[in-house]
Structures are given as structure tokens and as C-alpha cells.
Amino acid sequence: MTNRTIDKLMADRVDRLRRQANMTQQRYAAEVLHCSQGTASTKLAGKTRMSSSDVLNSAKAFNVSTDYIYGLSDSPEPGCQEGVTA
């Protein structure tokens, strides 16, 4: 996968979680990313890369794993070790 593809996957997952939580972009920007609505919009469109703190704050806000947001797991459940072998 290219970086652009990964950025888009992350943005799509977070935007889907935001919509499922019935959270506006403006509220997501203010409460989760601590940025303007315009900046949040570019991040949710995959045009601007989400920082690691953006991913962590989003995972906490939506109670999902960071692995899910990063595309390393298809399960949003925190603590799920899907695909990881001991």
C-alpha cells in the first residue's frame, strides 16, 4: 500500500466512526483534534495526514483500537489481537 492509500484508509475509518457517533465535523475538530473545522475536513478527506496524536485521540473518543484506525486490524475492538501470533 502506498502512503496515500493508507492516509485515505485511516481518514475513511475515522470519518465513518465520527458519523456513527452522530458527531459533526465541527464538534470532532473542537473536541477530539483541537483544531479548526477546515483542518479536520482536510484530514477526514485524506488530503492531510493524521498525526499520531490525532489517531490516539480519535481511538479514545470512539473507543476503538489505534490498530483499527491505522489499518493493521479489521476489528475496531480495543485490545483485539486479530492477526497477531504469539
Side-chain angles (χ1 to χ4, degrees):
M1 263 193 221
T2 66
N3 285 341
R4 182 82 174 127
T5 304
I6 293 168
D7 291 344
K8 185 64 175 146
L9 171 75
M10 291 170 51
D12 288 346
R13 286 185 173 193
V14 171
D15 198 39
R16 188 175 319 115
L17 291 165
R18 177 190 65 79
R19 290 172 191 266
Q20 288 172 347
N22 293 317
M23 183 181 283
T24 64
Q25 276 189 3
Q26 186 169 6
R27 185 171 153 218
Y28 175 71
E31 295 178 10
V32 180
L33 298 185
H34 310 288
C35 67
S36 71
Q37 186 275 328
T39 298
S41 178
T42 62
K43 290 182 180 197
L44 292 172
K47 295 177 182 176
T48 302
R49 177 171 285 158
M50 297 185 93
S51 70
S52 57
S53 62
D54 293 340
V55 172
L56 182 60
N57 290 341
S58 296
K60 286 179 180 179
F62 301 122
N63 195 33
V64 298
S65 71
T66 55
D67 282 356
Y68 174 73
I69 294 174
Y70 280 119
L72 300 173
S73 171
D74 287 331
S75 174
E77 297 298 318
C80 180
Q81 296 290 317
E82 174 188 299
V84 176
T85 58

